[in-house]
Amino acid sequence: MTVAVDPFRVVFVCTGNICRSPMADIVFRSYTRRAGLDHRVSSWSAGTGDWHVGERADARTLGALARQGYDGERHRARQFSQEDFDRSDLVVALDRSHERILLEWARTTADADKVSLLRSFDSGAGDHLDVPDPYYGGPEMFDEVLGMIESACRALFRQLEPAVRQPR
């Protein structure tokens, strides 16, 4: 008998959902797909603001992703909503400002307990837990930010992988 198991659900959150959080979602999905666990883990991204809702990821984000073999063309920006707390198991903030906003938006202790900083999963990050916003930088800044995100997403996936391999 096969038992259906709900996937573990992760939402990545940055400011406008056109730079950092789409990168994190796309990178994280690549890890789950390569491990054959994309049916056991679900992820998406959102922004704390609504300025870019419906827009594609920033062209520099798409370029940085493409240079590393990722495809971000299908991304469309959306704003984080209260329902995201309900439909997620983990809410991953890209920097402390996002973490602060998400904790203010949390309705319950259970909502607040879901919030973590992405780089907190990466032991190599040390005390540098914010992923810097590359929006006002050039392509090299986007590449640097993508490297940070890849390292942190790899660490996050390694932490989750044993649990998602086992039925919950």
Side-chain angles (χ1 to χ4, degrees):
M1 178 169 110
T2 303
V3 176
V5 177
D6 288 335
F8 187 86
R9 302 156 305 166
V10 182
V11 58
F12 296 94
V13 183
C14 72
T15 306
N17 193 220
I18 60 168
C19 298
R20 294 170 284 177
S21 59
M23 281 183 182
D25 179 38
I26 290 162
V27 168
F28 185 73
R29 282 182 194 219
S30 77
Y31 291 132
T32 63
R33 191 172 31 258
R34 278 187 258 162
L37 294 171
D38 45 340
H39 65 291
R40 300 294 311 272
V41 181
S42 171
S43 69
W44 64 96
S45 65
T48 57
D50 64 356
W51 313 280
H52 299 289
V53 169
E55 294 178 18
R56 295 171 45 138
D58 186 285
R60 296 163 297 173
T61 297
L62 296 173
L65 288 165
R67 283 189 290 282
Q68 295 303 317
Y70 302 105
D71 179 8
E73 292 294 329
R74 290 192 300 240
H75 173 77
R76 295 298 176 268
R78 60 180 294 279
Q79 186 176 18
F80 187 88
S81 69
Q82 291 294 323
E83 292 76 33
D84 285 310
F85 278 121
D86 299 334
R87 54 186 211 127
S88 66
D89 298 299
L90 179 63
V91 178
V92 181
L94 275 286
D95 71 27
R96 288 183 190 108
S97 70
H98 308 128
E99 178 187 44
R100 187 172 45 258
I101 290 166
L102 291 164
L103 291 172
E104 287 172 7
W105 288 350
R107 299 159 297 187
T108 64
T109 303
D111 285 353
D113 288 346
K114 293 178 181 183
V115 178
S116 292
L117 283 166
L118 177 61
R119 293 196 79 198
S120 70
F121 296 98
D122 185 356
S123 61
D127 292 335
H128 306 284
L129 298 180
D130 289 340
V131 175
D133 188 350
Y135 188 76
Y136 295 103
E140 64 285 340
M141 179 69 169
F142 281 77
D143 292 335
E144 183 180 330
V145 163
L146 179 56
M148 290 177 196
I149 288 171
E150 285 178 313
S151 180
C153 281
R154 186 171 30 258
L156 169 58
F157 179 72
R158 285 183 182 148
Q159 185 171 332
L160 290 177
E161 185 179 18
V164 297
R165 284 199 180 276
Q166 302 298 317
R168 291 196 279 164

